[in-house]
Structure formats: C-alpha cells, structure tokens
Amino acid sequence: MPVAAPRPCTHPGCGVLVRDGTGRCAKHPAVSWAKKPTAAKRVTGRKLQRLRAELFARNPLCAECQRQGRVTLATQRDHIVPLEEGGQDVEANVQGLCAPCHDVKSAAERARGVRRAWGRYREP
C-alpha cells in the first residue's frame, strides 16, 4: 500500500519532515484545544433572544453605519469589546450592527486572535 510523502512540520519555522501523518514532529506536538478557565460565560437561548429584541427595540440602526452617516437596520448583536479580549456580556458592552459591518469587525477580531495565538510560538 502506498504511503504519503513526508511533509514539513506545521509548527512555524520548523522544517523537520514528518512521516506519520500527524503534521507535527516529536519536538512540536499539537496542543489540544480547551476552553480557558477565565472565559466569559456566554448568554444563550431565550435570554439571548430577549436581549437581542430589547437592543433592537432601543436602537434599531447599525451603530457603525450611524457613525459613518448611513442609515441601516441592525441585524446582529455585537460585543463592543469582544469577550475573548476581556469584554463583559453586559448591556453597556453591546451594540447593534448590520451584517456587513459585523463581518468586517469579526474579521479584524479574528486576525488579532490569530496574531495572539501565533505570538505564543517561540523556539526554546
């Protein structure tokens, strides 16, 4: 039976060829994902539905579009300071955004998260 060609370790900066199919060499084992013990508790279910309805009743327009002088209905409940970056799931930290503004903000947050994650990789 044919065996796949060896590939370089996926750890940044490591070029050791891996032959076992895991993608990582013995020096750089893959870290299994686990929720941080300090992670904020997310609101879900009916409580979240009620909070969304209250937010959109209070201010039905997209906060980012309003700052730019546009009028667009908000469709997403967004945390101003993301929970991953230390924000709280409280009324003062939420805003309504339209889908395009939410997508742009989420992409920027995701990029910051990737930079944080890759910033932890240091050769011993």
Side-chain angles (χ1 to χ4, degrees), residues 65-86:
C65 286
Q66 281 185 309
R67 285 191 278 277
Q68 296 179 12
R70 298 187 309 251
V71 177
T72 310
L73 282 178
T75 58
Q76 307 283 326
R77 180 179 182 263
D78 177 69
H79 292 95
I80 298 166
V81 177
L83 299 180
E84 177 65 24
E85 295 176 7

Side-chain angles (χ1 to χ4, degrees), residues 58-124:
R58 243 186 352 264
N59 188 358
L61 300 179
C62 171
E64 185 59 33
C65 286
Q66 281 185 309
R67 285 191 278 277
Q68 296 179 12
R70 298 187 309 251
V71 177
T72 310
L73 282 178
T75 58
Q76 307 283 326
R77 180 179 182 263
D78 177 69
H79 292 95
I80 298 166
V81 177
L83 299 180
E84 177 65 24
E85 295 176 7
Q88 298 295 312
D89 205 355
V90 295
E91 186 178 324
N93 190 38
V94 294
Q95 63 183 351
L97 292 179
C98 62
C101 289
H102 187 263
D103 291 346
V104 168
K105 184 173 182 279
S106 294
E109 291 168 358
R110 210 169 12 262
R112 285 195 306 268
V114 167
R115 282 195 300 275
R116 274 193 310 274
W118 283 101
R120 287 191 289 259
Y121 284 111
R122 299 284 184 254
E123 281 298 317

Side-chain angles (χ1 to χ4, degrees), residues 17-86:
L17 292 178
V18 179
R19 290 174 171 78
D20 63 2
T22 62
R24 293 292 188 111
C25 66
K27 186 177 176 185
H28 304 112
V31 180
S32 61
W33 183 87
K35 191 173 186 177
K36 290 189 231 173
T38 58
K41 174 80 170 99
R42 291 189 174 265
V43 176
T44 59
R46 291 183 188 234
K47 183 175 182 183
L48 177 59
Q49 291 173 357
R50 181 180 48 79
L51 291 172
R52 281 176 45 86
E54 289 171 1
L55 173 66
F56 297 147
R58 243 186 352 264
N59 188 358
L61 300 179
C62 171
E64 185 59 33
C65 286
Q66 281 185 309
R67 285 191 278 277
Q68 296 179 12
R70 298 187 309 251
V71 177
T72 310
L73 282 178
T75 58
Q76 307 283 326
R77 180 179 182 263
D78 177 69
H79 292 95
I80 298 166
V81 177
L83 299 180
E84 177 65 24
E85 295 176 7

